[in-house]
Amino acid sequence: MDKKNALRAGALAAGTTLMMLLMSSPALALTRDDGDDPGTGLSVAETLGLFVIAPIVLFVVITGLVMVLDKSRKTS
């Protein structure tokens, strides 16, 4: 019974993924809409800064604030 449910879940996940890939074709991005005004592209450095470095910095800052402001530790 457990194997049957796992197979069913796997088939559902595979079917959903396949449909999402087919429906979101990159070729659809080539058609321009009315009023579409794309800006300039990002450089490699800007992309890495925005999508890699900024989240890491935010994670470190939030982790640091949680550690500094943690009141659950007892000071002896």
Side-chain angles (χ1 to χ4, degrees):
M1 186 64 105
D2 198 49
K3 222 176 190 183
K4 189 176 181 180
N5 285 340
L7 184 63
R8 185 180 296 150
L12 180 66
T16 303
T17 304
L18 181 64
M19 288 304 295
M20 288 177 68
L21 285 173
L22 290 174
M23 296 302 289
S24 63
S25 172
L28 296 175
L30 295 176
T31 58
R32 301 289 298 264
D33 292 332
D34 290 338
D36 192 13
D37 188 21
T40 58
L42 295 176
S43 69
V44 174
E46 290 172 333
T47 303
L48 287 175
L50 187 61
F51 294 108
V52 176
I53 295 171
I56 291 173
V57 168
L58 278 170
F59 177 78
V60 169
V61 167
I62 291 171
T63 303
L65 285 172
V66 168
M67 290 174 66
V68 167
L69 299 175
D70 186 21
K71 304 282 186 192
S72 65
R73 288 183 280 163
K74 291 183 180 180
T75 56
S76 298

